[in-house]
Amino acid sequence: MASVLPAPFRPQLYHGYAIGGICLIRLKHVRPKFSPFQWGIRSENAAHRIAVEWDSEGQTQHGVYIPRRDTNSVLNSLAGGRIFPGVHHHAHFEAVESENDFSVTMTSRDGGESVHVAGSVGTWNASSVFESLDSASKFFELGSLGYSDAHASSKFDGLELCCKNWNVEALEVSEVRSSYFENSKMFPPGTVEFDCALLMRGIEHEWHGRPNLCCPETTKAR
């Protein structure tokens, strides 16, 4: 995992394993906090993310590096990295869901990435590197601060997720595909395997921009 991370990031390990993942996010009623209107935009989004740590002012910091963001919102794809943090790629999403069953497919318009996940609410995966649903929940809750590629090659846009309530359920996955993590040029065969899936719904939250992280110009993961 370290080979796909640009400086200054390095993998944050859990029991010796680097943790990567994909957040499939449906956002509703998104609007600026100062807006007098109650309505907002709705969008389907995907964020590939890797748990990382880095050093700043003599302290080790923790968060996630996000090599790619995709969205079905034209507004998000145009404004991302310009008006608000994070470059967003335009993508097509198909979502089918019931109370306990979910299926999401994402295909980027530029052909760069595709994702498919299907599963049902169920029990925790006993073979996970995380001992329990609670331990996985706590690990990912600490990854609320994310940095993603900015339009300027020597900067990373900062964005923090602030949840007013945090609740996760175990999702038993029947199908999972990711062109990003299945890319053998970045991840040689046998170096990446599926671990677990978490479901969150009805989460009240806010997104807060954070100061950019600057670093020497390097070659970044796509």
Side-chain angles (χ1 to χ4, degrees):
M1 198 74 78
S3 63
V4 303
L5 293 175
F9 303 115
R10 58 182 180 270
Q12 179 186 354
L13 302 181
Y14 190 87
H15 293 327
Y17 291 95
I19 306 296
I22 308 165
C23 286
L24 298 170
I25 312 165
R26 173 176 294 160
L27 298 176
K28 298 180 180 179
H29 312 301
V30 176
R31 63 184 185 277
K33 192 172 184 179
F34 56 79
S35 173
F37 304 106
Q38 294 301 309
W39 53 265
I41 65 171
R42 168 177 170 150
S43 62
E44 303 283 353
N45 305 270
H48 291 73
R49 45 183 273 164
I50 299 169
V52 295
E53 57 186 28
W54 66 97
D55 297 322
S56 177
E57 299 180 351
Q59 300 291 324
T60 298
Q61 309 295 327
H62 297 89
V64 294
Y65 169 63
I66 303 168
R68 180 162 177 123
R69 296 181 185 272
D70 289 273
T71 179
N72 71 343
S73 167
V74 174
L75 175 61
N76 288 355
S77 62
L78 293 175
R82 297 180 176 89
I83 298 176
F84 56 80
V87 176
H88 288 62
H89 301 269
H90 196 212
H92 174 71
F93 285 75
E94 292 184 13
V96 180
E97 61 187 82
S98 63
E99 180 65 22
N100 293 311
D101 302 301
F102 302 86
S103 175
V104 181
T105 301
M106 183 278 289
T107 306
S108 64
R109 299 290 188 183
D110 62 8
E113 301 299 341
S114 62
V115 173
H116 173 69
V117 178
S120 304
V121 175
T123 58
W124 182 244
N125 178 14
S127 63
S128 170
V129 298
F130 297 101
E131 298 85 352
S132 64
L133 175 63
D134 184 61
S135 61
S137 174
K138 290 178 179 178
F139 179 87
F140 290 110
E141 187 174 9
L142 293 176
S144 60
L145 175 59
Y147 284 98
S148 55
D149 295 354
H151 286 291
S153 59
S154 60
K155 294 182 179 180
F156 300 99
D157 286 339
L159 189 65
E160 185 170 11
L161 172 64
C162 299
C163 294
K164 298 182 180 180
N165 57 314
W166 180 275
N167 182 60
V168 303
E169 301 171 74
L171 190 71
E172 291 188 34
V173 171
S174 56
E175 300 176 21
V176 58
R177 296 191 301 273
S178 163
S179 61
Y180 181 83
F181 288 110
E182 293 169 2
N183 185 337
S184 59
K185 293 181 180 179
M186 294 195 300
F187 305 102
T191 61
V192 174
E193 65 179 60
F194 173 76
D195 183 85
C196 63
L198 305 178
L199 174 67
M200 301 180 69
R201 43 186 168 180
I203 304 298
E204 294 186 42
H205 65 280
E206 295 178 350
W207 298 92
H208 295 273
R210 295 301 183 227
N212 288 345
L213 186 63
C214 299
C215 65
E217 190 165 329
T218 59
T219 300
K220 300 176 183 176
R222 65 190 176 98

